[in-house]
mmCIF file of all heavy atoms in Angstrom:
data_model
loop_
_atom_site.group_PDB
_atom_site.id
_atom_site.type_symbol
_atom_site.label_atom_id
_atom_site.label_comp_id
_atom_site.label_asym_id
_atom_site.label_seq_id
_atom_site.Cartn_x
_atom_site.Cartn_y
_atom_site.Cartn_z
ATOM 1 N N MET A 1 84.850 142.038 48.943
ATOM 2 C CA MET A 1 84.974 141.309 50.210
ATOM 3 C C MET A 1 86.451 141.227 50.589
ATOM 4 O O MET A 1 87.296 140.914 49.793
ATOM 5 C CB MET A 1 84.419 139.893 50.001
ATOM 6 C CG MET A 1 84.144 139.212 51.308
ATOM 7 S SD MET A 1 83.413 137.553 50.998
ATOM 8 C CE MET A 1 84.631 136.490 51.711
ATOM 9 N N ALA A 2 86.741 141.549 51.832
ATOM 10 C CA ALA A 2 88.092 141.547 52.325
ATOM 11 C C ALA A 2 88.540 140.078 52.499
ATOM 12 O O ALA A 2 87.732 139.206 52.757
ATOM 13 C CB ALA A 2 88.172 142.276 53.650
ATOM 14 N N GLY A 3 89.800 139.893 52.382
ATOM 15 C CA GLY A 3 90.370 138.590 52.610
ATOM 16 C C GLY A 3 91.857 138.637 52.768
ATOM 17 O O GLY A 3 92.444 139.686 52.429
ATOM 18 N N TYR A 4 92.426 137.550 53.210
ATOM 19 C CA TYR A 4 93.894 137.529 53.398
ATOM 20 C C TYR A 4 94.515 136.640 52.331
ATOM 21 O O TYR A 4 94.034 135.489 52.162
ATOM 22 C CB TYR A 4 94.213 137.005 54.794
ATOM 23 C CG TYR A 4 93.819 137.964 55.873
ATOM 24 C CD1 TYR A 4 92.545 137.989 56.355
ATOM 25 C CD2 TYR A 4 94.730 138.836 56.409
ATOM 26 C CE1 TYR A 4 92.166 138.876 57.364
ATOM 27 C CE2 TYR A 4 94.385 139.732 57.390
ATOM 28 C CZ TYR A 4 93.102 139.730 57.868
ATOM 29 O OH TYR A 4 92.745 140.635 58.850
ATOM 30 N N ASN A 5 95.492 137.171 51.656
ATOM 31 C CA ASN A 5 96.131 136.475 50.555
ATOM 32 C C ASN A 5 97.590 136.121 50.886
ATOM 33 O O ASN A 5 98.252 136.854 51.619
ATOM 34 C CB ASN A 5 96.138 137.335 49.286
ATOM 35 C CG ASN A 5 94.756 137.816 48.948
ATOM 36 O OD1 ASN A 5 93.770 137.115 49.149
ATOM 37 N ND2 ASN A 5 94.676 139.007 48.393
ATOM 38 N N PHE A 6 98.060 135.006 50.323
ATOM 39 C CA PHE A 6 99.392 134.634 50.554
ATOM 40 C C PHE A 6 99.920 133.848 49.310
ATOM 41 O O PHE A 6 99.241 133.053 48.756
ATOM 42 C CB PHE A 6 99.483 133.684 51.799
ATOM 43 C CG PHE A 6 100.881 133.081 51.981
ATOM 44 C CD1 PHE A 6 101.864 133.822 52.627
ATOM 45 C CD2 PHE A 6 101.143 131.812 51.531
ATOM 46 C CE1 PHE A 6 103.129 133.236 52.807
ATOM 47 C CE2 PHE A 6 102.395 131.228 51.701
ATOM 48 C CZ PHE A 6 103.361 131.958 52.364
ATOM 49 N N ALA A 7 101.174 134.140 48.932
ATOM 50 C CA ALA A 7 101.825 133.427 47.859
ATOM 51 C C ALA A 7 103.150 132.894 48.408
ATOM 52 O O ALA A 7 103.924 133.640 49.005
ATOM 53 C CB ALA A 7 102.083 134.316 46.679
ATOM 54 N N CYS A 8 103.372 131.583 48.251
ATOM 55 C CA CYS A 8 104.563 130.954 48.796
ATOM 56 C C CYS A 8 105.834 131.575 48.286
ATOM 57 O O CYS A 8 106.826 131.754 49.003
ATOM 58 C CB CYS A 8 104.522 129.463 48.521
ATOM 59 S SG CYS A 8 105.429 128.462 49.704
ATOM 60 N N LYS A 9 105.778 131.983 46.989
ATOM 61 C CA LYS A 9 107.012 132.577 46.407
ATOM 62 C C LYS A 9 107.385 133.884 47.099
ATOM 63 O O LYS A 9 108.528 134.319 47.025
ATOM 64 C CB LYS A 9 106.894 132.696 44.930
ATOM 65 C CG LYS A 9 105.823 133.603 44.401
ATOM 66 C CD LYS A 9 105.947 133.693 42.892
ATOM 67 C CE LYS A 9 105.007 134.661 42.246
ATOM 68 N NZ LYS A 9 103.583 134.276 42.390
ATOM 69 N N SER A 10 106.414 134.516 47.764
ATOM 70 C CA SER A 10 106.756 135.822 48.370
ATOM 71 C C SER A 10 107.654 135.614 49.644
ATOM 72 O O SER A 10 108.170 136.572 50.157
ATOM 73 C CB SER A 10 105.467 136.571 48.768
ATOM 74 O OG SER A 10 104.770 135.914 49.748
ATOM 75 N N ILE A 11 107.805 134.414 50.100
ATOM 76 C CA ILE A 11 108.794 134.129 51.199
ATOM 77 C C ILE A 11 110.026 133.449 50.641
ATOM 78 O O ILE A 11 110.789 132.838 51.389
ATOM 79 C CB ILE A 11 108.176 133.375 52.388
ATOM 80 C CG1 ILE A 11 107.624 131.976 51.929
ATOM 81 C CG2 ILE A 11 107.111 134.184 53.111
ATOM 82 C CD1 ILE A 11 107.359 131.061 53.145
ATOM 83 N N GLY A 12 110.230 133.550 49.317
ATOM 84 C CA GLY A 12 111.428 133.044 48.734
ATOM 85 C C GLY A 12 111.439 131.594 48.331
ATOM 86 O O GLY A 12 112.498 131.049 47.992
ATOM 87 N N MET A 13 110.275 130.932 48.339
ATOM 88 C CA MET A 13 110.213 129.580 47.909
ATOM 89 C C MET A 13 109.940 129.499 46.419
ATOM 90 O O MET A 13 109.242 130.364 45.842
ATOM 91 C CB MET A 13 109.028 128.857 48.630
ATOM 92 C CG MET A 13 109.155 128.871 50.122
ATOM 93 S SD MET A 13 110.584 128.055 50.719
ATOM 94 C CE MET A 13 109.859 126.652 51.502
ATOM 95 N N ASP A 14 110.520 128.497 45.776
ATOM 96 C CA ASP A 14 110.247 128.242 44.348
ATOM 97 C C ASP A 14 109.028 127.377 44.252
ATOM 98 O O ASP A 14 109.124 126.158 44.120
ATOM 99 C CB ASP A 14 111.493 127.586 43.695
ATOM 100 C CG ASP A 14 111.292 127.371 42.240
ATOM 101 O OD1 ASP A 14 110.345 127.997 41.677
ATOM 102 O OD2 ASP A 14 112.034 126.539 41.649
ATOM 103 N N CYS A 15 107.886 127.979 44.388
ATOM 104 C CA CYS A 15 106.655 127.242 44.651
ATOM 105 C C CYS A 15 105.474 128.067 44.212
ATOM 106 O O CYS A 15 105.442 129.263 44.392
ATOM 107 C CB CYS A 15 106.557 126.943 46.158
ATOM 108 S SG CYS A 15 105.023 126.178 46.663
ATOM 109 N N GLY A 16 104.519 127.440 43.507
ATOM 110 C CA GLY A 16 103.413 128.168 42.940
ATOM 111 C C GLY A 16 102.162 128.270 43.866
ATOM 112 O O GLY A 16 101.137 128.750 43.478
ATOM 113 N N PHE A 17 102.321 127.746 45.124
ATOM 114 C CA PHE A 17 101.195 127.777 45.989
ATOM 115 C C PHE A 17 100.773 129.186 46.377
ATOM 116 O O PHE A 17 101.578 130.025 46.723
ATOM 117 C CB PHE A 17 101.572 127.002 47.268
ATOM 118 C CG PHE A 17 100.532 127.080 48.395
ATOM 119 C CD1 PHE A 17 99.388 126.280 48.371
ATOM 120 C CD2 PHE A 17 100.667 127.950 49.437
ATOM 121 C CE1 PHE A 17 98.427 126.348 49.417
ATOM 122 C CE2 PHE A 17 99.748 128.053 50.461
ATOM 123 C CZ PHE A 17 98.625 127.233 50.434
ATOM 124 N N GLU A 18 99.469 129.418 46.305
ATOM 125 C CA GLU A 18 98.962 130.644 46.802
ATOM 126 C C GLU A 18 97.463 130.490 47.116
ATOM 127 O O GLU A 18 96.831 129.537 46.670
ATOM 128 C CB GLU A 18 99.153 131.822 45.778
ATOM 129 C CG GLU A 18 98.477 131.637 44.483
ATOM 130 C CD GLU A 18 98.764 132.798 43.565
ATOM 131 O OE1 GLU A 18 98.841 133.951 43.996
ATOM 132 O OE2 GLU A 18 98.936 132.557 42.337
ATOM 133 N N PHE A 19 96.971 131.296 47.987
ATOM 134 C CA PHE A 19 95.536 131.277 48.223
ATOM 135 C C PHE A 19 95.052 132.677 48.429
ATOM 136 O O PHE A 19 95.815 133.607 48.695
ATOM 137 C CB PHE A 19 95.165 130.404 49.424
ATOM 138 C CG PHE A 19 95.680 130.891 50.718
ATOM 139 C CD1 PHE A 19 95.009 131.865 51.451
ATOM 140 C CD2 PHE A 19 96.831 130.327 51.277
ATOM 141 C CE1 PHE A 19 95.498 132.326 52.651
ATOM 142 C CE2 PHE A 19 97.324 130.769 52.460
ATOM 143 C CZ PHE A 19 96.659 131.754 53.164
ATOM 144 N N ARG A 20 93.792 132.849 48.279
ATOM 145 C CA ARG A 20 93.157 134.203 48.419
ATOM 146 C C ARG A 20 91.953 134.106 49.367
ATOM 147 O O ARG A 20 91.345 133.043 49.450
ATOM 148 C CB ARG A 20 92.638 134.645 47.062
ATOM 149 C CG ARG A 20 93.748 135.015 46.128
ATOM 150 C CD ARG A 20 93.264 135.325 44.757
ATOM 151 N NE ARG A 20 94.380 135.174 43.811
ATOM 152 C CZ ARG A 20 95.388 136.035 43.761
ATOM 153 N NH1 ARG A 20 95.433 137.111 44.499
ATOM 154 N NH2 ARG A 20 96.377 135.841 42.911
ATOM 155 N N ALA A 21 91.690 135.189 49.972
ATOM 156 C CA ALA A 21 90.459 135.393 50.713
ATOM 157 C C ALA A 21 90.243 134.464 51.875
ATOM 158 O O ALA A 21 89.143 133.963 52.105
ATOM 159 C CB ALA A 21 89.254 135.295 49.746
ATOM 160 N N ALA A 22 91.301 134.164 52.607
ATOM 161 C CA ALA A 22 91.091 133.567 53.936
ATOM 162 C C ALA A 22 90.362 134.621 54.737
ATOM 163 O O ALA A 22 90.586 135.835 54.603
ATOM 164 C CB ALA A 22 92.424 133.213 54.572
ATOM 165 N N SER A 23 89.442 134.171 55.637
ATOM 166 C CA SER A 23 88.603 135.153 56.329
ATOM 167 C C SER A 23 89.259 135.804 57.496
ATOM 168 O O SER A 23 88.789 136.829 57.945
ATOM 169 C CB SER A 23 87.300 134.441 56.746
ATOM 170 O OG SER A 23 87.587 133.368 57.601
ATOM 171 N N SER A 24 90.360 135.254 57.964
ATOM 172 C CA SER A 24 91.072 135.876 59.081
ATOM 173 C C SER A 24 92.550 135.577 58.927
ATOM 174 O O SER A 24 92.942 134.637 58.193
ATOM 175 C CB SER A 24 90.567 135.354 60.410
ATOM 176 O OG SER A 24 90.914 134.013 60.537
ATOM 177 N N LYS A 25 93.382 136.310 59.664
ATOM 178 C CA LYS A 25 94.810 136.067 59.636
ATOM 179 C C LYS A 25 95.111 134.682 60.235
ATOM 180 O O LYS A 25 95.980 133.933 59.744
ATOM 181 C CB LYS A 25 95.566 137.132 60.368
ATOM 182 C CG LYS A 25 96.987 137.181 59.973
ATOM 183 C CD LYS A 25 97.649 138.523 60.272
ATOM 184 C CE LYS A 25 98.819 138.764 59.354
ATOM 185 N NZ LYS A 25 99.512 140.003 59.648
ATOM 186 N N ALA A 26 94.373 134.288 61.230
ATOM 187 C CA ALA A 26 94.581 132.996 61.872
ATOM 188 C C ALA A 26 94.279 131.858 60.863
ATOM 189 O O ALA A 26 94.999 130.871 60.787
ATOM 190 C CB ALA A 26 93.680 132.864 63.094
ATOM 191 N N GLU A 27 93.186 132.039 60.053
ATOM 192 C CA GLU A 27 92.885 131.049 59.044
ATOM 193 C C GLU A 27 93.969 131.014 58.001
ATOM 194 O O GLU A 27 94.376 129.923 57.540
ATOM 195 C CB GLU A 27 91.524 131.340 58.400
ATOM 196 C CG GLU A 27 91.027 130.219 57.527
ATOM 197 C CD GLU A 27 89.837 130.619 56.611
ATOM 198 O OE1 GLU A 27 88.996 131.393 57.071
ATOM 199 O OE2 GLU A 27 89.837 130.142 55.504
ATOM 200 N N ALA A 28 94.442 132.188 57.595
ATOM 201 C CA ALA A 28 95.532 132.261 56.606
ATOM 202 C C ALA A 28 96.763 131.516 57.112
ATOM 203 O O ALA A 28 97.354 130.716 56.402
ATOM 204 C CB ALA A 28 95.876 133.725 56.330
ATOM 205 N N LEU A 29 97.090 131.728 58.333
ATOM 206 C CA LEU A 29 98.264 131.086 58.944
ATOM 207 C C LEU A 29 98.113 129.583 58.951
ATOM 208 O O LEU A 29 99.057 128.829 58.733
ATOM 209 C CB LEU A 29 98.517 131.577 60.378
ATOM 210 C CG LEU A 29 99.313 132.899 60.455
ATOM 211 C CD1 LEU A 29 99.314 133.386 61.863
ATOM 212 C CD2 LEU A 29 100.741 132.697 59.988
ATOM 213 N N GLU A 30 96.896 129.080 59.239
ATOM 214 C CA GLU A 30 96.597 127.673 59.223
ATOM 215 C C GLU A 30 96.913 127.057 57.838
ATOM 216 O O GLU A 30 97.495 125.945 57.732
ATOM 217 C CB GLU A 30 95.170 127.364 59.593
ATOM 218 C CG GLU A 30 94.953 127.294 61.099
ATOM 219 C CD GLU A 30 93.474 127.004 61.449
ATOM 220 O OE1 GLU A 30 92.859 126.254 60.691
ATOM 221 O OE2 GLU A 30 93.052 127.557 62.447
ATOM 222 N N HIS A 31 96.468 127.782 56.793
ATOM 223 C CA HIS A 31 96.703 127.309 55.434
ATOM 224 C C HIS A 31 98.214 127.210 55.176
ATOM 225 O O HIS A 31 98.691 126.253 54.562
ATOM 226 C CB HIS A 31 96.123 128.281 54.428
ATOM 227 C CG HIS A 31 94.661 128.217 54.285
ATOM 228 N ND1 HIS A 31 93.936 127.085 53.966
ATOM 229 C CD2 HIS A 31 93.715 129.192 54.357
ATOM 230 C CE1 HIS A 31 92.653 127.329 53.888
ATOM 231 N NE2 HIS A 31 92.461 128.619 54.119
ATOM 232 N N VAL A 32 98.934 128.250 55.605
ATOM 233 C CA VAL A 32 100.374 128.297 55.372
ATOM 234 C C VAL A 32 101.080 127.178 56.063
ATOM 235 O O VAL A 32 101.932 126.483 55.517
ATOM 236 C CB VAL A 32 100.937 129.664 55.798
ATOM 237 C CG1 VAL A 32 102.449 129.674 55.634
ATOM 238 C CG2 VAL A 32 100.309 130.775 54.900
ATOM 239 N N VAL A 33 100.706 126.956 57.368
ATOM 240 C CA VAL A 33 101.344 125.927 58.170
ATOM 241 C C VAL A 33 101.104 124.558 57.553
ATOM 242 O O VAL A 33 102.023 123.755 57.408
ATOM 243 C CB VAL A 33 100.864 125.966 59.665
ATOM 244 C CG1 VAL A 33 101.273 124.740 60.410
ATOM 245 C CG2 VAL A 33 101.406 127.246 60.292
ATOM 246 N N ALA A 34 99.867 124.298 57.138
ATOM 247 C CA ALA A 34 99.526 123.017 56.514
ATOM 248 C C ALA A 34 100.273 122.798 55.211
ATOM 249 O O ALA A 34 100.794 121.724 54.931
ATOM 250 C CB ALA A 34 98.014 122.926 56.245
ATOM 251 N N HIS A 35 100.396 123.852 54.417
ATOM 252 C CA HIS A 35 101.113 123.766 53.165
ATOM 253 C C HIS A 35 102.606 123.575 53.388
ATOM 254 O O HIS A 35 103.225 122.732 52.736
ATOM 255 C CB HIS A 35 100.891 125.048 52.334
ATOM 256 C CG HIS A 35 101.823 125.128 51.174
ATOM 257 N ND1 HIS A 35 101.675 124.415 50.033
ATOM 258 C CD2 HIS A 35 102.946 125.885 50.969
ATOM 259 C CE1 HIS A 35 102.663 124.688 49.204
ATOM 260 N NE2 HIS A 35 103.437 125.568 49.742
ATOM 261 N N ALA A 36 103.166 124.264 54.356
ATOM 262 C CA ALA A 36 104.592 124.128 54.634
ATOM 263 C C ALA A 36 104.944 122.685 55.013
ATOM 264 O O ALA A 36 105.932 122.155 54.569
ATOM 265 C CB ALA A 36 104.983 125.084 55.769
ATOM 266 N N LYS A 37 104.030 122.098 55.772
ATOM 267 C CA LYS A 37 104.225 120.726 56.239
ATOM 268 C C LYS A 37 104.104 119.734 55.061
ATOM 269 O O LYS A 37 104.955 118.841 54.870
ATOM 270 C CB LYS A 37 103.243 120.420 57.346
ATOM 271 C CG LYS A 37 103.482 119.188 58.125
ATOM 272 C CD LYS A 37 102.437 119.044 59.234
ATOM 273 C CE LYS A 37 102.490 117.713 59.871
ATOM 274 N NZ LYS A 37 101.379 117.530 60.873
ATOM 275 N N ASN A 38 103.015 119.891 54.287
ATOM 276 C CA ASN A 38 102.729 118.951 53.236
ATOM 277 C C ASN A 38 103.680 119.082 52.047
ATOM 278 O O ASN A 38 104.087 118.100 51.464
ATOM 279 C CB ASN A 38 101.309 119.135 52.728
ATOM 280 C CG ASN A 38 100.273 118.747 53.764
ATOM 281 O OD1 ASN A 38 100.524 117.956 54.676
ATOM 282 N ND2 ASN A 38 99.096 119.356 53.685
ATOM 283 N N ALA A 39 103.992 120.302 51.658
ATOM 284 C CA ALA A 39 104.750 120.522 50.420
ATOM 285 C C ALA A 39 106.220 120.734 50.664
ATOM 286 O O ALA A 39 107.050 120.405 49.798
ATOM 287 C CB ALA A 39 104.190 121.744 49.715
ATOM 288 N N HIS A 40 106.605 121.184 51.848
ATOM 289 C CA HIS A 40 108.008 121.528 52.066
ATOM 290 C C HIS A 40 108.629 120.781 53.252
ATOM 291 O O HIS A 40 109.751 121.039 53.607
ATOM 292 C CB HIS A 40 108.156 123.044 52.283
ATOM 293 C CG HIS A 40 107.630 123.817 51.116
ATOM 294 N ND1 HIS A 40 108.177 123.811 49.872
ATOM 295 C CD2 HIS A 40 106.576 124.696 51.006
ATOM 296 C CE1 HIS A 40 107.486 124.604 49.079
ATOM 297 N NE2 HIS A 40 106.528 125.152 49.744
ATOM 298 N N GLN A 41 107.830 119.891 53.837
ATOM 299 C CA GLN A 41 108.352 119.103 54.986
ATOM 300 C C GLN A 41 108.856 120.022 56.144
ATOM 301 O O GLN A 41 109.804 119.663 56.821
ATOM 302 C CB GLN A 41 109.437 118.107 54.597
ATOM 303 C CG GLN A 41 108.928 116.912 53.838
ATOM 304 C CD GLN A 41 108.578 117.229 52.370
ATOM 305 O OE1 GLN A 41 109.430 117.830 51.679
ATOM 306 N NE2 GLN A 41 107.376 116.907 51.921
ATOM 307 N N ILE A 42 108.222 121.210 56.227
ATOM 308 C CA ILE A 42 108.595 122.094 57.311
ATOM 309 C C ILE A 42 107.633 121.872 58.440
ATOM 310 O O ILE A 42 106.418 122.223 58.353
ATOM 311 C CB ILE A 42 108.528 123.576 56.889
ATOM 312 C CG1 ILE A 42 109.550 123.844 55.720
ATOM 313 C CG2 ILE A 42 108.772 124.501 58.025
ATOM 314 C CD1 ILE A 42 109.407 125.140 55.049
ATOM 315 N N THR A 43 108.061 121.206 59.524
ATOM 316 C CA THR A 43 107.161 120.868 60.606
ATOM 317 C C THR A 43 107.303 121.850 61.769
ATOM 318 O O THR A 43 106.479 121.912 62.652
ATOM 319 C CB THR A 43 107.376 119.443 61.093
ATOM 320 O OG1 THR A 43 108.791 119.264 61.405
ATOM 321 C CG2 THR A 43 107.022 118.411 60.031
ATOM 322 N N THR A 44 108.398 122.601 61.782
ATOM 323 C CA THR A 44 108.610 123.581 62.830
ATOM 324 C C THR A 44 108.663 124.952 62.204
ATOM 325 O O THR A 44 109.497 125.216 61.349
ATOM 326 C CB THR A 44 109.931 123.307 63.584
ATOM 327 O OG1 THR A 44 109.937 121.958 64.072
ATOM 328 C CG2 THR A 44 110.084 124.282 64.743
ATOM 329 N N ILE A 45 107.736 125.832 62.619
ATOM 330 C CA ILE A 45 107.763 127.174 62.123
ATOM 331 C C ILE A 45 108.638 127.996 63.121
ATOM 332 O O ILE A 45 108.191 128.261 64.222
ATOM 333 C CB ILE A 45 106.322 127.780 62.080
ATOM 334 C CG1 ILE A 45 105.388 126.854 61.238
ATOM 335 C CG2 ILE A 45 106.348 129.197 61.494
ATOM 336 C CD1 ILE A 45 105.761 126.726 59.776
ATOM 337 N N THR A 46 109.837 128.346 62.696
ATOM 338 C CA THR A 46 110.712 129.122 63.558
ATOM 339 C C THR A 46 110.208 130.559 63.643
ATOM 340 O O THR A 46 109.439 131.025 62.786
ATOM 341 C CB THR A 46 112.147 129.125 62.953
ATOM 342 O OG1 THR A 46 112.064 129.791 61.665
ATOM 343 C CG2 THR A 46 112.706 127.747 62.754
ATOM 344 N N PRO A 47 110.632 131.256 64.689
ATOM 345 C CA PRO A 47 110.226 132.661 64.843
ATOM 346 C C PRO A 47 110.559 133.474 63.597
ATOM 347 O O PRO A 47 109.801 134.328 63.149
ATOM 348 C CB PRO A 47 110.995 133.154 66.073
ATOM 349 C CG PRO A 47 111.208 131.927 66.840
ATOM 350 C CD PRO A 47 111.421 130.832 65.868
ATOM 351 N N ASP A 48 111.724 133.163 63.015
ATOM 352 C CA ASP A 48 112.152 133.879 61.809
ATOM 353 C C ASP A 48 111.189 133.631 60.620
ATOM 354 O O ASP A 48 110.830 134.548 59.890
ATOM 355 C CB ASP A 48 113.596 133.424 61.439
ATOM 356 C CG ASP A 48 114.181 134.358 60.388
ATOM 357 O OD1 ASP A 48 114.191 135.558 60.609
ATOM 358 O OD2 ASP A 48 114.662 133.807 59.353
ATOM 359 N N LEU A 49 110.788 132.356 60.461
ATOM 360 C CA LEU A 49 109.888 131.993 59.345
ATOM 361 C C LEU A 49 108.477 132.584 59.645
ATOM 362 O O LEU A 49 107.863 133.084 58.732
ATOM 363 C CB LEU A 49 109.799 130.486 59.231
ATOM 364 C CG LEU A 49 108.942 129.912 58.119
ATOM 365 C CD1 LEU A 49 109.366 130.459 56.761
ATOM 366 C CD2 LEU A 49 108.943 128.410 58.110
ATOM 367 N N ALA A 50 108.073 132.548 60.863
ATOM 368 C CA ALA A 50 106.782 133.104 61.229
ATOM 369 C C ALA A 50 106.710 134.578 60.870
ATOM 370 O O ALA A 50 105.690 135.088 60.379
ATOM 371 C CB ALA A 50 106.511 132.919 62.724
ATOM 372 N N LYS A 51 107.792 135.300 61.129
ATOM 373 C CA LYS A 51 107.886 136.698 60.810
ATOM 374 C C LYS A 51 107.757 136.934 59.283
ATOM 375 O O LYS A 51 107.043 137.846 58.866
ATOM 376 C CB LYS A 51 109.263 137.215 61.277
ATOM 377 C CG LYS A 51 109.303 138.583 61.856
ATOM 378 C CD LYS A 51 110.611 138.803 62.526
ATOM 379 C CE LYS A 51 111.002 140.281 62.652
ATOM 380 N NZ LYS A 51 112.372 140.379 63.243
ATOM 381 N N LYS A 52 108.479 136.129 58.525
ATOM 382 C CA LYS A 52 108.414 136.220 57.077
ATOM 383 C C LYS A 52 107.011 135.996 56.555
ATOM 384 O O LYS A 52 106.508 136.701 55.665
ATOM 385 C CB LYS A 52 109.317 135.157 56.414
ATOM 386 C CG LYS A 52 110.746 135.563 56.204
ATOM 387 C CD LYS A 52 111.392 134.455 55.344
ATOM 388 C CE LYS A 52 112.826 134.615 55.155
ATOM 389 N NZ LYS A 52 113.394 133.502 54.374
ATOM 390 N N VAL A 53 106.394 134.916 57.061
ATOM 391 C CA VAL A 53 105.046 134.553 56.657
ATOM 392 C C VAL A 53 104.053 135.683 57.044
ATOM 393 O O VAL A 53 103.230 136.068 56.224
ATOM 394 C CB VAL A 53 104.586 133.214 57.298
ATOM 395 C CG1 VAL A 53 103.099 132.965 57.113
ATOM 396 C CG2 VAL A 53 105.390 132.061 56.714
ATOM 397 N N ASP A 54 104.212 136.155 58.226
ATOM 398 C CA ASP A 54 103.343 137.224 58.702
ATOM 399 C C ASP A 54 103.411 138.459 57.785
ATOM 400 O O ASP A 54 102.425 139.063 57.443
ATOM 401 C CB ASP A 54 103.721 137.606 60.148
ATOM 402 C CG ASP A 54 102.668 138.485 60.815
ATOM 403 O OD1 ASP A 54 101.571 137.942 60.990
ATOM 404 O OD2 ASP A 54 102.956 139.647 61.040
ATOM 405 N N ALA A 55 104.639 138.781 57.360
ATOM 406 C CA ALA A 55 104.805 139.938 56.494
ATOM 407 C C ALA A 55 104.299 139.687 55.108
ATOM 408 O O ALA A 55 103.950 140.607 54.368
ATOM 409 C CB ALA A 55 106.354 140.287 56.458
ATOM 410 N N ALA A 56 104.250 138.396 54.714
ATOM 411 C CA ALA A 56 103.857 138.045 53.324
ATOM 412 C C ALA A 56 102.344 137.883 53.201
ATOM 413 O O ALA A 56 101.828 137.866 52.091
ATOM 414 C CB ALA A 56 104.528 136.747 52.905
ATOM 415 N N ILE A 57 101.629 137.804 54.313
ATOM 416 C CA ILE A 57 100.167 137.692 54.237
ATOM 417 C C ILE A 57 99.595 139.094 54.020
ATOM 418 O O ILE A 57 99.839 139.987 54.821
ATOM 419 C CB ILE A 57 99.564 137.031 55.503
ATOM 420 C CG1 ILE A 57 99.992 135.609 55.599
ATOM 421 C CG2 ILE A 57 98.038 137.180 55.478
ATOM 422 C CD1 ILE A 57 99.595 134.899 56.893
ATOM 423 N N ARG A 58 98.943 139.250 52.907
ATOM 424 C CA ARG A 58 98.383 140.581 52.533
ATOM 425 C C ARG A 58 96.914 140.596 52.656
ATOM 426 O O ARG A 58 96.263 139.608 52.273
ATOM 427 C CB ARG A 58 98.753 140.928 51.104
ATOM 428 C CG ARG A 58 100.259 140.883 50.834
ATOM 429 C CD ARG A 58 100.788 142.253 50.623
ATOM 430 N NE ARG A 58 102.255 142.257 50.788
ATOM 431 C CZ ARG A 58 103.124 141.762 49.897
ATOM 432 N NH1 ARG A 58 102.686 141.265 48.794
ATOM 433 N NH2 ARG A 58 104.398 141.791 50.130
ATOM 434 N N GLN A 59 96.390 141.682 53.150
ATOM 435 C CA GLN A 59 94.942 141.824 53.220
ATOM 436 C C GLN A 59 94.424 142.571 52.014
ATOM 437 O O GLN A 59 95.019 143.510 51.580
ATOM 438 C CB GLN A 59 94.550 142.530 54.477
ATOM 439 C CG GLN A 59 93.021 142.462 54.746
ATOM 440 C CD GLN A 59 92.659 143.011 56.070
ATOM 441 O OE1 GLN A 59 93.396 143.673 56.770
ATOM 442 N NE2 GLN A 59 91.438 142.675 56.505
HETATM 443 ZN ZN1 ZN B 101 105.147 126.337 48.913
#
């Protein structure tokens, strides 16, 4: 089954957060945004960060 995977450390964070098998890239991004807010107090996703996250989400 295809899915979208993301590991926080792949964007340079010292963090063990990761998830697998989000059903779409939009769902994957939602997970990342929620995690960034809860765990890293990142409430604004800058274009630069969005680019990094986008590149780090693997199918
Ligand atoms: Zn993290």
